[in-house]
């Protein structure tokens, strides 16, 4: 027999020759009474005692709380590891019921679930469903944007003129440095590549035709759209995405203000107005870059270069670039605003929406540029 008691509780260990240990508990077994550790009690069970079964005697137990439950549950876990059977019949009925409830918690299905790789057809089906859902949201957004434009032309749209002017400044004047640099370099590259090839045939003067038509019809509007997609489209997505995270868009809806009119409309109008101007500016910088290469490498005077360019470019070529620039401006604005409005409720979602806006805008710009090339070729424009 071994006694591990204190002034408020008592615990006796009675060993028998049959391999059974009888634990007698008495007194007040509550947490505030500094109950014994189950590990300390288990260490008292020596291997030489050949304990195979543990029973309890709680006839002298006065009162108890979760302290007794914790002690019995922890001791039971250690006994299971050692292959010792614990008989709970000697404990109060309430203790037995609570211990049974604690051990009857079902195993989580997610914990035992092994990851399974979906089949090919399952992945294709899920991707198709996601594509259709995204297409539906995009068409709804475009439809709302179109209706908002109708309200704007009828004077019923609700937006602030100060927001429109500020957005025009951000999309126009503040974008001039990066547009200038890229356009000038693109003109230099086109002229250099053309000069290397045309110089073999003595047709260096046609570098002006190559650069002029390339910039006016394709590269000017294309590079401007790509720049605005990475600069302005991502900014639109980040701004609206942050407002979505901060629930500012929900607040506008609560006040009865349409986010399409108050937030999206000024951004779309600003890009539609500024893209043609930036496109013309890009064309001029590209032609100037080609002139610098022709003057420095091919000994072509600036007057000769600009006269050749004037003869190669017609008004219809400028119109092609301007028409594309307006459509590309709408694409960049819709892509940025759409991804911003679709943003989730976390900071990482804002970054993902900005990235998605840039990718979407660039892909759509290239696709529509190819469509326009086919259309203009068919109509001979």
């Amino acid at each position: 027999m071994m006694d591990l008691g204190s002034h408020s509780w008592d615990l006796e260990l009675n060993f028998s020759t049959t391999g059974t240990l009888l634990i007698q508990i008495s007194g007040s077994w509550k947490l505030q009474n500094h109950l014994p550790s189950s590990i300390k009690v288990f260490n008292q069970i020596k291997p030489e005692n050949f304990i195979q079964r543990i029973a309890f005697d709680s006839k002298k137990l006065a009162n108890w709380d979760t302290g007794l439950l914790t002690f019995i549950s922890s001791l039971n876990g250690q006994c299971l590891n050692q292959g010792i059977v614990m008989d709970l019949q000697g404990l109060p009925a309430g203790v037995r019921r609570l211990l049974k409830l604690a051990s009857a918690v079902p195993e989580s299905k997610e914990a035992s679930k092994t990851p399974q790789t979906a089949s090919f057809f399952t992945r294709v089906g899920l991707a198709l469903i996601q594509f259709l859902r995204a297409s539906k949201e995009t068409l709804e957004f475009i439809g709302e944007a179109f209706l908002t434009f109708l309200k704007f032309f009828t004077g019923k749209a609700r937006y602030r003129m100060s927001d429109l002017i500020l957005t025009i400044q951000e999309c126009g004047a503040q974008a001039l440095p990066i547009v200038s640099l890229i356009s000038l370099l693109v003109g230099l590259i086109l002229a250099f590549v053309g000069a290397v090839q045309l110089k073999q045939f003595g047709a260096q003067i046609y570098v002006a035709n190559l650069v002029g038509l390339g910039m006016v019809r394709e590269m000017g509007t294309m590079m401007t759209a790509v720049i605005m997609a990475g600069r302005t489209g991502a900014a639109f997505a980040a701004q609206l995405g942050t407002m979505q995270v901060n629930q500012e868009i929900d607040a506008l809806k609560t006040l009865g203000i349409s986010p399409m009119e108050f937030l999206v409309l000024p951004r779309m109008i600003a890009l539609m107005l500024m893209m043609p101007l930036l496109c013309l500016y890009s064309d001029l910088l590209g032609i100037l870059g080609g002139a610098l290469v022709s003057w420095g490498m091919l000994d072509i005077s600036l007057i000769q270069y600009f006269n050749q360019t004037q003869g190669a470019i017609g008004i219809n070529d400028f119109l092609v670039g301007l028409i594309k620039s307006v459509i590309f401006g709408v694409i960049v604005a819709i892509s940025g605003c759409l991804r911003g409005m679709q943003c989730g409720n976390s900071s990482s979602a804002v970054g993902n929406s900005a990235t998605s806006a840039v990718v979407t805008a660039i892909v759509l710009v290239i696709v529509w540029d190819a469509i326009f090339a086919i259309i203009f070729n068919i109509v001979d424009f």
Side-chain angles (χ1 to χ4, degrees), residues 2-40:
M2 187 176 300
D3 190 356
L4 299 176
S6 72
H7 66 281
S8 57
W9 55 267
D10 192 20
L11 185 145
E12 293 183 4
L13 304 179
N14 297 316
F15 300 95
S16 67
T17 57
T18 60
T20 300
L21 168 65
L22 179 63
I23 300 179
Q24 294 179 340
I25 54 179
S26 59
S28 177
W29 280 70
K30 292 191 174 184
L31 289 173
Q32 62 266 27
N33 294 331
H34 304 287
L35 300 179
S37 171
S38 61
I39 298 177
K40 180 179 179 181

Side-chain angles (χ1 to χ4, degrees), residues 258-278:
S258 173
M260 292 294 299
E261 299 177 13
F262 194 77
L263 299 175
V264 178
L265 181 61
R267 290 168 168 80
M268 295 180 65
I269 295 175
L271 267 181
M272 287 183 61
L273 294 177
M274 290 297 102
M275 277 293 292
L277 300 179
L278 290 174

Side-chain angles (χ1 to χ4, degrees), residues 56 67-77 86 88 91 95 99:
F56 293 92
L68 176 61
L69 296 174
T70 303
F71 172 79
I72 299 297
S73 178
S74 178
L75 184 62
N76 185 35
M86 180 175 287
L88 305 178
L91 295 172
V95 175
L99 290 174

Side-chain angles (χ1 to χ4, degrees), residues 72-324:
I72 299 297
S73 178
S74 178
L75 184 62
N76 185 35
Q78 298 176 61
C79 291
L80 291 175
N81 294 333
Q82 297 296 326
I84 301 174
V85 179
M86 180 175 287
D87 185 3
L88 305 178
Q89 294 301 319
L91 295 172
V95 175
R96 295 199 305 270
R97 286 195 300 268
L98 291 175
L99 290 174
K100 184 178 180 181
L101 287 174
S103 61
V105 177
E107 181 183 3
S108 175
K109 295 181 180 180
E110 297 296 331
S112 60
K113 184 184 295 184
T114 56
Q116 297 180 354
T117 303
S119 64
F120 171 77
F121 293 103
T122 301
R123 296 196 300 270
V124 172
L126 292 176
L128 179 60
I129 292 174
Q130 184 178 3
F131 173 77
L132 293 177
R133 186 181 295 114
S135 300
K136 178 177 178 292
E137 294 178 356
T138 302
L139 291 176
E140 290 178 352
F141 187 87
I142 294 175
E144 292 181 6
F146 178 74
L147 295 177
T148 303
F149 261 109
L150 293 181
K151 288 185 178 181
F152 169 74
F153 288 120
T154 57
K156 297 180 181 180
R158 301 170 61 186
Y159 66 97
R160 293 192 304 183
M161 184 59 66
S162 59
D163 291 340
L164 176 59
I165 295 175
L166 179 61
T167 308
I168 288 176
Q169 180 182 355
E170 293 175 351
C171 299
Q174 295 182 7
L176 287 178
I178 183 65
V179 172
S180 303
L181 176 63
I182 299 301
S183 301
L184 183 64
L185 292 178
V186 169
L188 289 170
I189 293 171
L190 285 176
F192 180 78
V193 173
V196 172
Q197 299 300 322
L198 295 174
K199 194 174 183 180
Q200 300 177 7
F201 306 98
Q204 299 93 321
I205 191 62
Y206 290 103
V207 170
N209 301 56
L210 174 65
V211 175
L213 289 174
M215 289 300 301
V216 171
R217 295 185 66 95
E218 293 293 339
M219 297 306 298
T221 180
M222 172 74 73
M223 294 309 301
T224 303
V226 171
I227 293 170
M228 298 307 289
R231 180 188 178 277
T232 305
F236 287 172
Q239 292 168 1
L240 298 183
T242 304
M243 296 181 69
Q244 189 76 31
V245 172
N246 295 334
Q247 298 182 345
E248 297 177 34
I249 295 179
D250 294 335
L252 290 176
K253 294 179 180 178
T254 303
L255 295 173
I257 301 175
S258 173
M260 292 294 299
E261 299 177 13
F262 194 77
L263 299 175
V264 178
L265 181 61
R267 290 168 168 80
M268 295 180 65
I269 295 175
L271 267 181
M272 287 183 61
L273 294 177
M274 290 297 102
M275 277 293 292
L277 300 179
L278 290 174
C279 177
L280 289 175
Y281 181 74
S282 176
D283 295 341
L284 295 177
L285 265 294
I287 294 174
L288 178 60
L292 294 177
V293 172
S294 299
W295 175 65
M297 291 182 56
L298 305 177
D299 295 329
I300 299 176
S301 66
L302 296 180
I303 296 177
Q304 287 179 314
Y305 182 87
F306 286 114
N307 288 336
Q308 185 70 20
T309 301
Q310 184 178 4
I313 300 175
I315 189 63
N316 60 323
D317 298 316
F318 279 103
L319 290 178
V320 168
L322 293 179
I323 293 173
K324 288 182 179 181

Side-chain angles (χ1 to χ4, degrees), residues 2 15 21 41-51:
M2 187 176 300
F15 300 95
L21 168 65
V41 174
F42 192 79
N43 289 335
Q44 303 299 324
I45 304 174
K46 303 296 183 180
E48 57 267 26
N49 293 323
F50 301 105
I51 300 300

